[in-house]
Structures are given as C-alpha cells and as structure tokens.
Amino acid sequence: MKSTLKKLLPFAVVGVISGATTVGALQYFGHSSNNGDQSYFTTAAPNTSFAGMNTGAVGDDFVKAAKTTVPAVVTIKNYQSRTASRASEQDLFDFFFGDPFGGGRGQQRQKQQQAPENMPSGMGSGVIISPDGYIISNNHVVAGANKLEVVLSNKKSYIATLVGTDPNTDISLLKIEEKGLPYLNFANSDNIDVGQWVLAVGNPLGLNSTVTAGIVSAKGRGIGILSSQGKAANPIESFIQTDAAINPGNSGGALVNTNGELIGINSAIQSTTGYYQGYGFAVPSNLARKIVEDIKKFGIVQRGFLGIQSLDLSNDQLVTSYNKQFKTNLKVGSGVYVTGFGENSGAEDAGLKKGDVVTKIDNYDITDFADLSMSIGSKRPGDKVQVTYLRNGKENTTSVTLRDQKGGTSTRTKADLSVTEKIGAEFDPLTDRFKTEYGLNSGVVAKSVSEGSEMAKIGIVDNYIIIEINGKPVNSQKDVEKILEKYQGNVQVKFVDDYGRIYTKGFKMP
C-alpha cells in the first residue's frame, strides 16, 4: 500500500521557477524592476490581439506568421562522445510514448558503443530570441552533448555554447556568435484562449522548416513527463495543448500565434506510436521566458517555494488513495489540499494549516496542481504572493513570502552555490564492509546526480563510486567539498561504474 501510494500520491513540496523577468513579463505579473538587463529578450507590443476562429482571411494570417517564424527557427544537432540514449531528443518520446519500432531501434542504440564523430546522436529544434544569437530550446534536446551545432533555415551552421538548462521545465538557453539574426518576440501566453489558431514550426523527422496549423485545445495541462523521466527535482508542468501536428524533432521549436509571436516551446506529444496522433504540448512562453532570463542574468534558475506538501483535489485517483491511506473523506473538486509543510515554510509562517485548500494565488484561480506550480513558477525567492484558501468552508487570504530550499529570500548566482550544487551531485560514504569486499581504500557513492551537471557530463550517474578527486581519496561529502572549495581549474575524478570498471575523467570547475 505504501509503495503504491508513493507512486500515486507525490506530496511534493511546491518547487517553482522564479525569474529575473523582463519589463514586459513583469507587467504581466504585477512586478516592477529597475534592472535593464531583465528586459533583454523582446516582448510583443501590449496591444497585440490574437486572431480568433472567425477571423477573416485566416489563410493570409498563416502565410504572414509562417514567413515571420521560419527564419527564426533552427535545427539543433546534439553530438555525444558516447551513446547516451536517455539524453537524445528521440528517446524522450520513446520513453514516454513507446518505441514505434517495437524496441528494435532503441536496442540497437543501446548496443552501439560509440556514435560516429560526424553523426549527431539526436536532433531537435530551437528558436532565436535575440538578434545577437540567443536561442531557446528544450533541455532534452541538448542533454548529454559535448558539441551542439545550430543550423539556420538558410543552412548556415554554427557551433553553439550551452548557456544553461533547467530540467524542471525542460528549457535550455544556447548562444551562437552572430549579429543581425531574425528572431521572435515573446507574447503573453496568459492571453491565449482555447480554440485559438496557432502554428507549430520546427524540424520534425529531419524535415527542416516545417509549418503545421491547429488550435489551442487546452491550457494548464500536466502530463507527468518531466517527473517520469526522473530528472526534474521540482517539475513544473502547465503545458499548452494543441492539435497542430508535432512529431519527434519538433522539440524545442516554436508555437506561435497568427501574428508570428512566440506563445510556447513545443516539448512533447501524446501518442500510442511515438508519432503525431492529435495532441502536442508546449511550455508557455511566460514561463519559458522567465527561465532563460534567469539563466542569462544569474547563471542559474532562481527557485521560490511556497513550502507546502499538497494533494491535487481534481485528481480522483489521488484523492481516493489519500482517503484510503489516512481514513479521510475528502471530496474530488477544485483546488489544492495542504497535507503538510516543508522545512522553512513561508506558507506555514504565514498561517496556513494542514487541511486548508488553496484556491487562488494572487488573482490566479487554482483548480489543480498544474495551476499552482505555474502561478508560483512566475516568482522567485523573496517575492510575496497573496494566497486565498478555504478553511472549514470559509475563505481566507494571507500574504506569503516565497523562500528557496534553504530558507533564503534572496536570489543567488553561481558564485553563491555550494560545491555539490556546482558539480551537480551529492555523496554518501561507503561502509567499511563494502570497501573490504571490493578492495577499495576510499570512496563515496554518487547520489542525486543532476541532468546536465558537470558530474553527468563525464558519465557519472547515481550509485557510481567516486574514489579520488584531484588525486586525493574521498570518504565523505565533506572531503569532496574541502578539495573543491574555492578551487578553480580542471578537476580530475576517478570513479567506478556499475560493472567495476575504473575511469578517470575531468571537467573544468564551474
């Protein structure tokens, strides 16, 4: 029962992406800022209107939008020194929707020892969002790469720098060295309506500069893909759902309105075959923009936490399981039920209690967990939100100051990170018995290895054993921190994989 409940009832602390937002996006959410850097990426004019289903000359609108969008959408080729099937763009679809070739293609990849150097391990799409070469894409498009090639619609090719990634939203930011590039403006994704015409532009199945049309078929959709991959510690899923045809290779491409403005980043499809069957999902532009602004300004994504453990009352399966586990009689409905609090909880300090039902964040209605994560996802540590909740049937409102996971209320840069945060892993000591049985004099076990981290880039995954760092034996996380604290330069790591093979690899200390 407990194991089943753990699968069905993720009482996750609400972790949320906060943003060093642009002036336009700040206006959307009622914030203000004097930092000019936050307005780097361009927002569409505030008086922009969206074309409705009954708009005249919609064909002309499609043509204009396509002409605007196609030059700003690029192909991204992911080159890897070793096979890393979990990281490739195609494999994300195989994992979530199944291999349409019955496992043959995936098995062949797993047997493959090393991809040819001149062949990419995976391909996806990206969107140019500034004239000087910043490109937004998906995290899973760039994951595991040791080289990223960007090909423009005019076939001109560049080697890109990976500025940063965020597995929790599946967003990445790249940079190529060029000026005067075509780019797309961000639109306010809060303004889109179900039934509105949209275009998906990308490079599906190796077909460059492909444009498909459809409508927004739903908003605020959570499909569980980020959490199911096991790479997102605090996933935020509030996808725009569309029936515009999207296939593997569209990932990271543009979802635009009929004005050619960016309203989403295409990320996933829902299908029994792994190919288009009617539903695609895109990260809303407001959230995507906040992520890349954070990465550009701070080098890392700022995360605010409401600090509650929760139950989505709109999910009848979760509610039923919770009632059985805790002998309660909760009803399926709208809102998020507070089941507990994390450490240093701003919500608990503000007066919320177990059993309260969160119904609004500021003026944003909370009908399910996707709404809650999205509403907090627009904020950062130190931001205050007005939380409306029900207690014993009575509506109450309180002001909550969001905090980071350590309880802080200020933003941090890479320089403020701990050693383990910088290299992207934590470490548990080996027992003396284990050392004796395997003939080791030292070692720590890698845990919580972050997707795209320095440790992950050199091939370390959870449960690999780290023997030495920079030639020095390590037996605890404190040993790792002591060796790398204030260290600059190349780091040498000696480690053991699942099969007992010993490797020595390295990375430059971030």
Side-chain angles (χ1 to χ4, degrees), residues 255-463:
L255 187 70
V256 300
N257 60 30
T258 53
N259 294 314
E261 296 157 348
L262 191 62
I263 63 171
I265 300 298
N266 295 317
S267 298
I269 56 177
Q270 186 163 19
S271 167
T272 57
T273 66
Y275 293 89
Y276 174 71
Q277 285 189 333
Y279 299 109
F281 301 92
V283 179
S285 59
N286 285 357
L287 179 59
R289 180 176 181 173
K290 291 177 183 298
I291 299 305
V292 296
E293 289 287 359
D294 258 9
I295 291 172
K296 181 179 181 294
K297 180 175 175 59
F298 301 103
I300 58 174
V301 176
Q302 306 299 315
R303 305 198 182 283
F305 286 78
L306 188 60
I308 66 171
Q309 297 166 346
S310 61
L311 171 67
D312 186 344
L313 292 178
S314 69
N315 189 315
D316 57 351
Q317 192 174 19
L318 295 182
V319 172
T320 299
S321 296
Y322 186 89
N323 284 335
K324 288 182 179 179
Q325 173 77 10
F326 297 102
K327 311 300 181 185
T328 54
N329 192 31
L330 299 177
K331 304 296 183 184
V332 176
S334 180
V336 173
Y337 181 84
V338 179
T339 63
F341 299 92
E343 294 183 7
N344 303 309
S345 170
E348 187 174 28
D349 288 348
L352 267 73
K353 296 181 179 180
K354 181 179 178 180
D356 291 342
V357 178
V358 177
T359 58
K360 281 187 179 182
I361 299 293
D362 293 329
N363 293 318
Y364 191 91
D365 289 334
I366 306 301
T367 61
D368 54 23
F369 187 80
D371 288 340
L372 181 61
S373 62
M374 182 63 184
S375 65
I376 301 297
S378 65
K379 311 296 190 295
R380 62 188 182 200
D383 282 349
K384 293 183 178 181
V385 295
Q386 296 297 312
V387 179
T388 301
Y389 60 95
L390 296 176
R391 180 181 296 170
N392 299 323
K394 182 180 178 181
E395 187 175 86
N396 303 275
T397 301
T398 186
S399 178
V400 177
T401 300
L402 303 180
R403 301 175 181 176
D404 62 25
Q405 286 182 299
K406 297 182 180 295
T409 57
S410 59
T411 57
R412 297 195 296 166
T413 66
K414 281 188 175 181
D416 301 318
L417 300 180
S418 67
V419 167
T420 55
E421 287 174 320
K422 287 180 181 178
I423 65 177
E426 296 181 353
F427 307 95
D428 288 342
L430 285 179
T431 63
D432 290 337
R433 179 179 175 181
F434 189 96
K435 291 178 184 178
T436 300
E437 289 179 353
Y438 289 88
L440 299 174
N441 294 318
S442 63
V444 291
V445 181
K447 297 290 184 183
S448 303
V449 179
S450 301
E451 175 74 14
S453 67
E454 300 302 328
M455 283 294 193
K457 288 176 184 177
I458 63 173
I460 293 175
V461 299
D462 284 1
N463 298 319

Side-chain angles (χ1 to χ4, degrees), residues 77-111:
K77 298 181 180 181
N78 179 323
Y79 294 85
Q80 301 179 14
S81 58
R82 62 185 181 86
T83 300
S85 62
R86 290 180 299 172
S88 76
E89 198 272 340
Q90 294 256 347
D91 287 326
L92 182 73
F93 288 94
D94 290 352
F95 185 93
F96 192 57
F97 302 112
D99 187 344
F101 297 100
R105 179 163 55 90
Q107 290 172 4
Q108 290 173 4
R109 276 197 304 268
Q110 291 175 0
K111 292 177 181 178

Side-chain angles (χ1 to χ4, degrees), residues 119-168:
M119 291 292 290
S121 299
M123 291 192 293
S125 303
V127 183
I128 304 172
I129 53 175
S130 71
D132 59 347
Y134 280 98
I135 297 168
I136 188 172
S137 184
N138 286 138
N139 173 67
H140 75 260
V141 170
V142 304
N146 59 15
K147 183 176 77 170
L148 291 166
E149 182 184 3
V150 168
V151 183
L152 306 188
S153 62
N154 63 9
K155 308 304 181 183
K156 192 170 183 180
S157 176
Y158 302 81
I159 299 302
T161 299
L162 181 59
V163 183
T165 65
D166 180 45
N168 289 304

Side-chain angles (χ1 to χ4, degrees), residues 74-77 89-90 93 105 119-120 122-125 151-153 155 201-211 246-251 275:
V74 303
T75 299
I76 298 176
K77 298 181 180 181
E89 198 272 340
Q90 294 256 347
F93 288 94
R105 179 163 55 90
M119 291 292 290
M123 291 192 293
S125 303
V151 183
L152 306 188
S153 62
K155 308 304 181 183
V201 184
N203 306 290
L205 309 175
L207 302 172
N208 294 336
S209 302
T210 296
V211 181
I246 295 173
N247 280 294
N250 271 112
S251 284
Y275 293 89

